[in-house]
Amino acid sequence: MVSRQRLWRVLSVFALMALLLAGCGDPRLNALTPKGTAGDMQLDLITLSILIMLGVFAVVITIFVYVLIRYRKKKGVTREVKQVHGSTLLEIVWTVIPIILLAILAVPTVQTTFKLAAAQPKTEDALKIKVTGYQYWWEFEYLNANGKRFKTAQELHIPAGEKVYLEIHGKDVLHSFWVPALAGKIDVVPGRVNTMWIDAKQPGKYQGKCAELCGAGHALMDFKVYAHSKGDFDNWVAQQTTPYKPQTVAEKEGEKIFKQNCISCHANPNPKIKGPDLSKFGTRETIAGILSHNETNLKKWLEDPESVKPGARMPKINYLNDQEMKNLMEYLMKSK
Amino acid sequence: MGTLLILLVLTLFLAAILTGGYNKEFLLRARQTKVWDWLTTVDHKKIGIMYFLSGFFFLLIGGLEAIFMRLQLAVPNNDLFTGDIFNQLLTMHGTTMIFLAAMPMIFGLINVIMPLQIGARDVAFPFLNSLGFWLFFWGGILLNLSWFFGGAPNAGWTSYTSLALNSYSPGLGVDYYVLGLQITGIGSLMSGINFIATIINMRTPGMTFLRMPMFTWTSFVTSALLVFAMPPLTVALLLLMFDRVFGAAIFDHAMGGSSVIWQHLFWIFGHPEVYIVILPAFGIMSEIISTFSKKRLFGYTSMVFATVLIGFLGFMVWVHHMFTVGLGPMSNSIFAVATMAIAVPTGIKVFNWLFTMWGGEIHFKTPMLWAVGFVPTFVIGGMTGVMLSVPPADYQYQDSYFVVAHFHYVLVGGTAFALFAGAYYWWPKMFGKMLSEKLGKWHFWLFFIGFHMTFFPQHFLGLFGMPRRVFTYQANHGLELLNLISSIGVIGMTLGTIFFMVAVVQAARSKELAPADPWDGRTLEWSIPSPVPEYNFAQLPLVRGADAFWLEKQAGNKEMTPAEPLGSIHMPSGSYIPMLMSLGLFVAGYGFVVKSWIIGAIGIAFTFIMMYIRSFEQDFGYHIEPEEINGSAKAKEVKA
């Protein structure tokens, strides 16, 4: 009876601790408070396996603590120790029970594995996005957003409450596409196309990460996922597909500088020198996926990209005079 | 090349000056020194000690790298070690700890203890044993030279392609990784073969397979794993060497190669490797738990079969490291279920340990403290292991700090705890001195608390969205507090290790000799004096059951019954060749790293010359006569 009481005490302490700790993370990237269907399915399996394992742990710890207290060497007492060779019954018990427990875990595991792998859309008009990982940034190409095809970088916008199908392409080294709050990860493998689906149950902003070591800038290869309501998403698509026309003199001058200095990488298909598509740079919320979107940070990035992101491939743009720099930044920030 | 020659000439010149002329007398004197004795030894105990101590040296280096990384990660957006330097630290930490610390320290214990446990006078191939050690040593040195000449490897200890290819890691780092590991790898393979031959052929009369101590059994299975797991690594490293050094394109997707092949080859080696370092830990724990509970191992036969089963299944699960590669739900499911299956024999072991203690009389000496700390820690590592085997859940855990926490619970909570336990347990047998109980307890508690403080929070860091191998994280992402706690925990582990070193120095200085059987041991190594004489057993012992020495003590005998009359003992003579043969490969490795074919050729030629000398050497060994054995035994008695 004592051992059962202790077991419940241990279990409830662990459950309490887990609850407390689960709330500690940031909801934008906490896998324990998922905001997507895939994340939910994964959390269910995490919970099931944790519960089974905590049960086993409780049994082990109960026996362990009991043994350590009951059979420790006491001063001045010598006990006759029986040299037993084992017990067939006990050994069968602790072979068969784990097998049963693992079977209980294995069935939903296999089911969910197949469910998550069904990543081909059933309907023609399901939103498909081609995701490509580069050192150290992400490209998102919308293949059929409201019938339109266009590219963005570092920011993935999706309609909430709808499954979005991702085609994952790799061009240079391994990366791994991970939005902890929405779904588990899948590797970006050069020379291979992987597929997965992702959804967000509610509109919101989520943090994405590269999870596979990809070089010096790996830690900063962040991106964001924005889940919009249907109307907002349509507006966003419309905005992204309406070309930006420079208005002021400064913007026009800036465009010239951009075309002379930047376009050779920022519109180049060669993966070794390719940079992100910047045609809608003004709509972004981050610079290089990590700095907040303002002129000071833009200048910092342009003048020395490697000081922000080690290993970044972009050369330093530190040869422009003040006026040229101002015009270039004006052009970039206004390109909405 | 020029610098090398100048250095060489300078060393010879200095040696000549310092020794008063380069002459025969000097050589003779050199041969009588202790250093020469250790450099040329083929005695399994000395080789074991060299393995253990140099492994510990590399453990300190790997630990220092870990301290640097936790310093960097203590606060968000820190700029102490960023970008490529951090990647070098994490790569060298992993590589050093696995290949240059855990494996050699395990080989050290196996080398010293296993022949004693089976009642042998040495391993089957003493020369090969020495060669294995020196290959490991020079390989390790080559790997660590990278810090000073050309930058350390930076593509992770897994060295995944295509990051590890020239186009993305253009420095010399990964070349050091490839060649350094290739050289140590040959050594590991040799050790595996040697241990297997020893256990099969050199057991003393009566020592049947099912009477062998658990540590010997786990060494046996580990050696078998080495023999089957090292070749895939050798192949992988060779292919990577072709890609990097000779411009092949096996792993280069842009040239029609495949980067996934590397992952398969690496993990076909890598997963059994986990069992190579954990099975002997199980063995050490089995010995210690049984000895300090004064009770024979519960369910010995099932323990043996569980060990064999774990070793076998270890080859069937490598894809669980690759669940997110996108190999499809079918292969993910198959490997998931295979992985879960390993939990069954592992569980059997845990329950057998618990029931060994049940009904025993537990003495909390330092080795037992480590064993007692090991059980719950390893169980947590095993639990997270089962959790990781579930592919959909693994899509969240993979490459996050959850995985980091898991394998440190297994490799530190399992292997490192066992190595410390083994050190305290067998130190008297290895060095003839006892390690301080008081310092040992400080070591244990500081290390144990520090360990859990460092790694327990990392489970949650992973689930909160922190990927592994990142040099920083952003503020306000809910990761600050746990990272800080994790970094503070390192202090405990560091202090604990310092206490261990103090205990070692204290023991080395102390004049007090250890008794032959300080722990009331059960196996053969405790039936002979500490430290062990070079011939181990004056007469081979006759084994009458499992826990052979304990049985004799129960029957009222103070010593083992001899299985042979006292006679002259044949011993192998020492040799300088293994050290030089490996040195040749070290030089060749360095040559290939810096792409100087001349140095490479010189190194390989040197190795071949050494092999040639060895082939035509007439070495009949020497004999120790019964009078000498009696003499030394009597001298001991007089002292006592």
Side-chain angles (χ1 to χ4, degrees), chain B residues 303-526:
Chain B
M303 285 294 245
V304 169
F305 283 102
T307 309
V308 176
L309 196 60
I310 292 174
F312 182 73
L313 287 175
F315 282 96
M316 315 274 170
V317 297
W318 78 90
V319 168
H320 70 213
H321 299 270
M322 303 167 62
F323 278 157
T324 59
V325 169
L327 299 178
M330 186 55 90
S331 68
N332 279 4
S333 300
I334 291 171
F335 281 92
V337 175
T339 306
M340 288 179 191
I342 293 191
V344 177
T346 316
I348 292 177
K349 282 184 162 282
V350 171
F351 283 108
N352 277 329
W353 288 323
L354 292 179
F355 279 80
T356 304
M357 293 190 276
W358 186 292
E361 188 181 59
I362 305 171
H363 294 248
F364 287 104
K365 299 281 189 201
T366 307
M368 187 59 175
L369 265 187
W370 284 102
V372 164
F374 157 87
V375 172
T377 312
F378 185 78
V379 168
I380 294 176
M383 282 165 57
T384 50
V386 173
M387 290 168 66
L388 279 158
S389 74
V390 177
D394 181 74
Y395 299 160
Q396 288 285 15
Y397 310 136
Q398 173 88 19
D399 276 320
S400 78
Y401 257 81
F402 188 87
V403 176
V404 177
H406 161 73
F407 66 71
H408 281 94
Y409 263 78
V410 180
L411 289 174
V412 181
T415 307
F417 278 26
L419 285 170
F420 284 130
Y424 284 97
Y425 184 56
W426 281 311
W427 205 265
K429 211 30 81 183
M430 289 163 80
F431 296 94
K433 306 274 183 65
M434 300 291 286
L435 287 176
S436 155
E437 274 290 308
K438 200 176 160 196
L439 291 174
K441 281 181 179 151
W442 273 99
H443 175 197
F444 169 74
W445 283 111
L446 283 167
F447 198 92
F448 183 78
I449 293 167
F451 165 79
H452 282 281
M453 206 172 150
T454 303
F455 292 107
F456 194 74
Q458 292 186 359
H459 293 110
F460 287 93
L461 281 175
L463 291 168
F464 292 170
M466 180 159 164
R468 68 189 280 207
R469 294 168 161 175
V470 291
F471 66 79
T472 194
Y473 48 94
Q474 304 303 309
N476 303 319
H477 275 179
L479 306 171
E480 289 108 316
L481 179 67
L482 293 180
N483 265 305
L484 185 63
I485 295 175
S486 178
S487 290
I488 292 172
V490 174
I491 299 171
M493 289 200 278
T494 314
L495 286 180
T497 313
I498 291 172
F499 271 93
F500 176 66
M501 291 192 281
V502 172
V504 168
V505 172
Q506 203 187 56
R509 283 182 164 186
S510 138
K511 295 236 157 46
E512 210 176 317
L513 291 179
D517 182 17
W519 314 115
D520 191 14
R522 312 173 72 84
T523 41
L524 286 180
E525 74 267 31
W526 304 110

Side-chain angles (χ1 to χ4, degrees), chain A residues 21 31 79 83 172 185 192 212, chain B residues 162 326 360 395-396 398 463:
Chain A
L21 277 166
R79 205 178 31 237
Q83 301 290 320
D172 42 31
K185 60 189 76 64
R192 245 184 112 96
E212 181 71 64
Chain B
S162 41
Y395 299 160
Q396 288 285 15
Q398 173 88 19
L463 291 168

Side-chain angles (χ1 to χ4, degrees), chain B residues 56-114:
Chain B
F56 185 72
F57 169 71
F58 285 121
L59 182 89
L60 294 181
I61 295 181
L64 198 64
E65 285 150 6
I67 292 172
F68 288 161
M69 286 193 284
R70 278 320 316 172
L71 272 177
Q72 162 67 17
L73 290 172
V75 288
N77 288 318
N78 200 359
D79 55 3
L80 201 56
F81 301 99
T82 58
D84 195 51
I85 296 287
F86 191 86
N87 289 354
Q88 293 182 22
L89 284 174
L90 70 88
T91 304
M92 284 304 280
H93 169 72
T95 315
T96 304
M97 286 306 198
I98 294 280
F99 292 99
L100 308 180
M103 279 172 85
M105 286 173 84
I106 285 168
F107 286 175
L109 288 181
I110 296 180
N111 243 311
V112 179
I113 302 304
M114 180 271 288

Side-chain angles (χ1 to χ4, degrees), chain B residues 256-302:
Chain B
S258 163
S259 64
V260 180
I261 296 290
W262 168 269
Q263 296 189 37
H264 280 293
L265 284 172
F266 186 85
W267 287 116
I268 290 173
F269 147 78
H271 198 80
E273 168 71 18
V274 176
Y275 295 105
I276 288 171
V277 294
I278 198 66
L279 287 179
F282 290 167
I284 295 168
M285 289 313 180
S286 303
E287 302 285 324
I288 288 174
I289 288 176
S290 159
T291 303
F292 291 93
S293 305
K294 307 283 165 216
K295 199 159 154 276
R296 68 178 281 182
L297 194 60
F298 192 90
Y300 170 85
T301 321
S302 67

Side-chain angles (χ1 to χ4, degrees), chain B residues 114-119 199-200 202-213 216 300 523-524 541-549 560:
Chain B
M114 180 271 288
L116 302 181
Q117 284 195 331
I118 59 171
I199 294 175
I200 292 180
M202 303 194 51
R203 284 164 293 131
T204 195
M207 178 61 81
T208 59
F209 271 106
L210 282 179
R211 284 177 183 174
M212 291 195 315
T216 299
Y300 170 85
T523 41
L524 286 180
L542 179 69
V543 170
R544 295 197 260 206
D547 289 345
F549 187 42
M560 296 297 298

Side-chain angles (χ1 to χ4, degrees), chain A residues 14 17-18 21-26 28-32 34 38-39 41-43 45-47 49-50 53-54 56-57 59-61 63-64 66-68 71-74 77-87 90-91 94-96 98-99 102-103 105-106 108-110 112-114 116-117 135-136 170-174 176 178-192 194 207 209-220 222 224 272 290 308 310 313, chain B residues 77 82-84 87 90-91 154-156 158 160-163 167-168 253 259-260 263 293-303 322 324-330 332-333 336-337 340-344 347-352 354-355 357-364 368 371-373 375-376 379-380 382-384 386-387 389-400 456 460 462-479 482 522 547 550 554:
Chain A
F14 267 100
M17 249 171 64
L21 277 166
C24 275
D26 185 328
R28 288 169 301 175
L29 79 164
N30 187 347
L32 293 178
M41 290 158 76
Q42 286 154 350
L43 183 65
L45 277 174
I46 294 176
T47 317
S49 56
I50 276 193
M53 285 300 120
L54 277 182
V56 176
F57 188 70
V59 173
V60 170
I61 286 300
I63 301 174
F64 180 70
Y66 173 76
V67 164
L68 288 190
Y71 297 106
R72 73 183 189 282
K73 161 86 177 143
K74 295 175 187 92
V77 186
T78 348
R79 205 178 31 237
E80 192 64 27
V81 174
K82 259 218 284 188
Q83 301 290 320
V84 287
H85 76 281
S87 153
L90 276 176
E91 282 174 42
W94 62 58
T95 310
V96 173
I99 291 179
L102 289 174
L105 181 60
T109 295
V110 174
T112 313
T113 306
F114 277 88
L116 285 172
Q135 279 178 322
Y136 304 93
K171 296 283 185 212
D172 42 31
V173 301
L174 290 168
S176 195
W178 189 27
V179 192
L182 296 183
K185 60 189 76 64
I186 190 140
D187 289 356
V188 176
V189 185
R192 245 184 112 96
N194 277 332
Q207 183 68 45
K209 293 268 177 193
C210 171
E212 181 71 64
L213 180 65
C214 57
H218 166 55
L220 302 176
D222 286 8
K224 287 202 164 58
K272 293 223 157 175
I290 38 169
V308 176
R313 299 253 158 137
Chain B
N77 288 318
T82 58
D84 195 51
N87 289 354
L90 70 88
T91 304
N154 55 1
T158 51
Y160 274 3
T161 53
S162 41
L163 181 61
S167 355
Y168 304 102
H253 65 97
S259 64
V260 180
Q263 296 189 37
S293 305
K294 307 283 165 216
K295 199 159 154 276
R296 68 178 281 182
L297 194 60
F298 192 90
Y300 170 85
T301 321
S302 67
M303 285 294 245
M322 303 167 62
T324 59
V325 169
L327 299 178
M330 186 55 90
N332 279 4
S333 300
V337 175
M340 288 179 191
I342 293 191
V344 177
I348 292 177
K349 282 184 162 282
V350 171
F351 283 108
N352 277 329
L354 292 179
F355 279 80
M357 293 190 276
W358 186 292
E361 188 181 59
I362 305 171
H363 294 248
F364 287 104
M368 187 59 175
V372 164
V375 172
V379 168
I380 294 176
M383 282 165 57
T384 50
V386 173
M387 290 168 66
S389 74
V390 177
D394 181 74
Y395 299 160
Q396 288 285 15
Y397 310 136
Q398 173 88 19
D399 276 320
S400 78
F456 194 74
F460 287 93
L463 291 168
F464 292 170
M466 180 159 164
R468 68 189 280 207
R469 294 168 161 175
V470 291
F471 66 79
T472 194
Y473 48 94
Q474 304 303 309
N476 303 319
H477 275 179
L479 306 171
L482 293 180
R522 312 173 72 84
D547 289 345
W550 173 267
Q554 289 305 98

